Amino acid sequence: MTSDTELALITGASSGIGRSLAQVFVDEGYDVVVVGQSEGVEEAAAELRASGREVLPVRADLSTAAGVEELWRAVEATGRPLAAAALNAGVVVSGPFADTDLAEHLGLVDLNVRSTVHLAKLVVDHMVLWGRGRILMTASIAAATPGPFQSTYAASKAFVHSFAEAVGYELKDTEITVTSLMPGPTDTEIFERADMEDTVIGQEPKDGPDRVARDGFDAMMAGKPHVRAGNILNKVAAEVATHLPDRIGAAVAASQVKPD
């Protein structure tokens, strides 16, 4: 990729919020590196090229250190500085912790937490060298309270949110910003993949991923430390949750995601 256009990296770009983020970036005039584990990332890239922007698809398993390094080699091979990075890849494991597979939970931690730290370190060091950049990390309003029946997911998103805020503070005197994107329930494939369609939250109306992506992009460009994306009810729910005792917050969260 050789261009004077600014370059952005988006992970988890095959579908959902990541795919919508990639669309926002190309619509705003960025060339993009889009990352996914499945062949869907190739399909997304083909659609994104209709914008006239340069699009580099990378298939990589970011739940492994080797996958993160493979992706980073592809970014470095462009020979271009990253103006922005959206670290969005993530998964959900739904159900009681005692009844679900340990390997699934450890895989979630590897993708949602470890790979976010690994890739963020590479991105931050790169942007420090170039002197500027914008970083978006996808957390969730689930970060605001313990999450029974999605215990490792909620914990992972609490980690991502705290991590984003902390790194952003450390960089506050630079031209690099870090924004935590905190969407509420969003109409993506995640509910089907996590077998959550029969839950209260799975059956309720949801925000569209395009709206969430736009909220995230705008907040990142404005250098905000976080954004509670989507409709006003999400923002109110997240605010209320931060003031509830954990025991009460956990009970409220459980009522929304407990399997039928």
Side-chain angles (χ1 to χ4, degrees):
M1 300 176 75
T2 56
S3 174
D4 293 330
T5 303
E6 291 194 316
L7 182 67
L9 166 68
I10 305 97
T11 68
S14 299
S15 62
I17 295 171
R19 173 64 181 83
S20 293
L21 279 167
Q23 190 66 55
V24 174
F25 273 105
V26 297
D27 289 346
E28 293 288 336
Y30 286 77
D31 293 337
V32 294
V33 178
V34 290
V35 189
Q37 188 174 354
S38 72
E39 62 186 13
V41 73
E42 303 281 357
E43 298 169 5
E47 294 167 356
L48 291 164
R49 289 191 184 102
S51 65
R53 302 262 52 93
E54 291 190 44
V55 181
L56 173 64
V58 178
R59 286 187 67 176
D61 179 3
L62 299 185
S63 68
T64 68
V68 175
E69 295 289 350
E70 177 186 356
L71 163 60
W72 194 246
R73 285 193 295 271
V75 172
E76 290 188 316
T78 68
R80 296 168 59 183
L82 273 181
L87 311 187
N88 170 77
V91 293
V92 177
V93 176
S94 177
F97 184 71
D99 298 339
T100 44
D101 184 49
L102 173 61
E104 291 188 33
H105 290 287
L106 294 178
L108 179 152
V109 172
D110 282 338
L111 182 60
N112 295 14
V113 177
R114 189 203 52 76
S115 81
T116 298
V117 174
H118 189 170
L119 187 54
K121 178 59 175 169
L122 296 170
V123 169
V124 167
D125 287 355
H126 172 89
M127 289 181 174
V128 167
L129 179 65
W130 286 96
R132 66 185 181 93
R134 296 280 185 265
I135 302 171
L136 183 71
M137 300 187 194
T138 301
S140 168
I141 64 167
T145 188
F149 307 110
Q150 51 177 18
S151 55
T152 48
Y153 173 77
S156 75
K157 292 305 182 181
F159 177 94
V160 170
H161 174 66
S162 176
F163 177 61
E165 291 266 8
V167 176
Y169 182 86
E170 293 172 358
L171 296 169
K172 65 183 177 64
D173 296 325
T174 73
E175 294 300 314
I176 303 164
T177 63
V178 184
T179 301
S180 172
L181 172 58
M182 304 177 73
T186 306
D187 189 13
T188 70
E189 297 173 0
I190 198 167
F191 291 94
E192 179 181 355
R193 291 174 179 170
D195 196 23
M196 293 176 63
E197 293 175 301
D198 64 345
T199 62
V200 171
I201 200 171
Q203 296 176 17
E204 290 182 344
K206 303 170 185 62
D207 287 316
D210 291 349
R211 176 175 182 176
V212 171
R214 171 51 69 177
D215 286 351
F217 179 88
D218 289 347
M220 174 177 60
M221 290 298 110
K224 294 181 178 179
H226 64 264
V227 56
R228 291 165 180 161
N231 68 67
I232 189 64
L233 293 179
N234 290 338
K235 298 172 184 179
V236 171
E239 181 62 27
V240 170
T242 61
H243 299 288
L244 290 175
D246 282 348
R247 180 65 61 176
I248 296 175
V252 172
S255 71
Q256 296 293 301
V257 300
K258 184 176 181 178
D260 185 2

